[in-house]
Amino acid sequence: MKKRPLVILDDYFVKDGQLSELLESNNGIDIAWASKGDYFEIPSDNPFIKRLLSTHTTLRRWTRTSAIQVTYSTWLYNIHLAIIAAVGARLLSGLTAAPLIYSLGTLVTICLCVVLSYHTLFFVSLNYRPAWFEHTVVYFSPFAWAAIWLLVCIGDRETSTVAVVDMDGPFRGLLDRRVGPLALLLMHIFVWYMRRTVIGITVFERKVRASAFENWSHRMYSVLAALAIVFVWRIYPYLATFWDGHVSDMERKPPRELADERSQIGVLRLIAAMLASGGTHAIWYSFISYAYHMVVWKEYLREGLAVWVVDDSVMCTKLH
């Protein structure tokens, strides 16, 4: 475990180097240590605090802000479930528009699969599997941003791998226009805004552990995520030739011919999607956590304390 820069108290903080001196001057006053021993809390009216104030001039008072809920409230839990259901229905409407071997390979379907899997992982990890949350935010979210911005910049009306088979499915047309690229973008931004504190704290903890090279590599990784999605879309016809039970059209045409039949993506549109998605995520990664000074968890993503410093102001908030 890394050496922590602060020792947390209820209304004050002390530099880490003073910890032993503080403990030696305790003189039997009871201090309640956290379960992991990472910090201790002392009420502001405790005699120990009064003695510290009279003998340690370096002690700085912070502003205790209102507690912040990092877990889901009931209404947000239900709203995020509704978002997942809406994206899933939109994906299903696209999959039923043609035989699966065709509809699965469209850029729209690939992007929707990425967005749906991301929101599902985000929801499950924050509510039930906290250990998954950091990987979801740091490694998977660039692809979700990239998928949405690809749909915004390129459009979501691509039909199929070979442009030709049309099927009337039970969901076809139901949500095609109601859950378009702009709606997906707004829903994604809503979830990130509502969970901005826990995302910022998670990014801060990742950046503290990572080297400068790893942090800059992550920013580049965020920009290239859109290119990776387009690459999967381009090679899908080649992958589809290995599909067991593929349809006759797929048997008659070589993969290169199938790939050439697909509508091309404009280079400028692709660059715009890369810059918008990668830039958005890189900005979040760089600045969402810039003011945090330390985070201490009693229970990871369930209860803890966060401290941040802006100019000469020191603030602490409880997380629950």
Side-chain angles (χ1 to χ4, degrees):
M1 179 182 293
K2 276 194 171 185
K3 189 176 182 180
R4 298 189 181 280
L6 301 175
V7 177
I8 304 297
L9 294 83
D10 184 60
D11 291 310
Y12 302 86
F13 74 84
V14 186
K15 291 183 179 180
D16 184 68
Q18 294 178 308
L19 174 58
S20 59
E21 183 181 356
L22 294 178
L23 295 180
E24 290 173 0
S25 63
N26 182 14
N27 294 329
I29 296 176
D30 184 34
I31 299 175
W33 286 80
S35 58
K36 295 183 179 180
D38 294 332
Y39 68 96
F40 58 87
E41 294 186 2
I42 305 176
S44 57
D45 59 351
N46 190 297
F48 181 46
I49 284 289
K50 295 179 180 179
R51 186 163 68 249
L52 285 176
L53 287 174
S54 64
T55 58
H56 294 81
T57 57
T58 57
L59 204 62
R60 295 171 57 191
R61 187 180 184 92
W62 60 35
T63 302
R64 176 61 68 98
T65 64
S66 301
I68 295 178
Q69 183 173 356
V70 294
T71 55
Y72 275 70
S73 60
T74 301
W75 73 271
L76 185 59
Y77 184 98
N78 292 328
I79 287 177
H80 203 174
L81 272 181
I83 289 174
I84 293 172
V87 177
R90 175 67 177 85
L91 173 62
L92 189 58
S93 89
L95 291 176
T96 58
L100 191 59
I101 192 171
Y102 297 131
S103 60
L104 191 60
T106 66
L107 183 62
V108 176
T109 298
I110 294 171
C111 289
L112 287 174
C113 285
V114 172
V115 175
L116 178 61
S117 57
Y118 171 76
H119 277 280
T120 302
L121 273 175
F122 189 101
F123 179 86
V124 171
S125 62
L126 190 52
N127 284 289
Y128 306 109
R129 292 290 185 272
W132 299 354
F133 189 71
E134 180 177 313
H135 286 80
T136 300
V137 168
V138 174
Y139 297 110
F140 199 1
S141 60
F143 288 94
W145 282 105
I148 292 174
W149 277 106
L150 279 171
L151 295 179
V152 171
C153 295
I154 296 171
D156 68 339
R157 304 307 301 171
E158 181 195 10
T159 54
S160 71
T161 301
V162 290
V164 293
V165 183
D166 193 14
M167 296 175 61
D168 291 326
F171 294 92
R172 182 159 173 72
L174 179 63
L175 292 170
D176 282 348
R177 295 175 182 173
R178 294 182 184 178
V179 186
L182 182 58
L184 287 171
L185 179 61
L186 292 176
M187 289 188 293
H188 194 72
I189 291 175
F190 170 80
V191 172
W192 268 63
Y193 178 78
M194 296 305 299
R195 298 294 84 192
R196 62 191 181 279
T197 298
V198 68
I199 292 173
I201 289 171
T202 301
V203 170
F204 165 76
E205 292 184 305
R206 149 74 185 183
K207 289 168 67 176
V208 167
R209 295 194 308 270
S211 64
F213 174 78
E214 289 172 327
N215 286 326
W216 279 108
S217 297
H218 180 77
R219 295 180 178 94
M220 184 61 65
Y221 165 85
S222 300
V223 174
L224 297 178
L227 197 61
I229 293 175
V230 172
F231 176 75
V232 172
W233 171 72
R234 287 296 297 171
I235 67 171
Y236 177 81
Y238 299 89
L239 300 176
T241 59
F242 298 99
W243 188 312
D244 290 335
H246 46 271
V247 298
S248 57
D249 282 345
M250 194 67 76
E251 291 177 0
R252 289 198 298 265
K253 295 182 179 180
R256 183 175 296 279
E257 184 178 343
L258 292 172
D260 291 342
E261 287 184 359
R262 306 165 75 112
S263 56
Q264 298 300 310
I265 295 177
V267 175
L268 292 180
R269 289 176 180 267
L270 176 57
I271 292 176
M274 293 173 62
L275 293 178
S277 61
T280 300
H281 195 269
I283 289 173
W284 275 92
Y285 187 82
S286 299
F287 298 108
I288 192 174
S289 61
Y290 76 97
Y292 286 105
H293 194 72
M294 73 172 300
V295 179
V296 182
W297 294 106
K298 285 186 178 179
E299 183 181 358
Y300 184 58
L301 295 186
R302 294 295 180 265
E303 183 183 3
L305 290 173
V307 178
W308 61 93
V309 181
V310 179
D311 297 328
D312 292 330
S313 300
V314 183
M315 291 165 283
C316 173
T317 187
K318 286 196 173 184
L319 310 170
H320 64 92

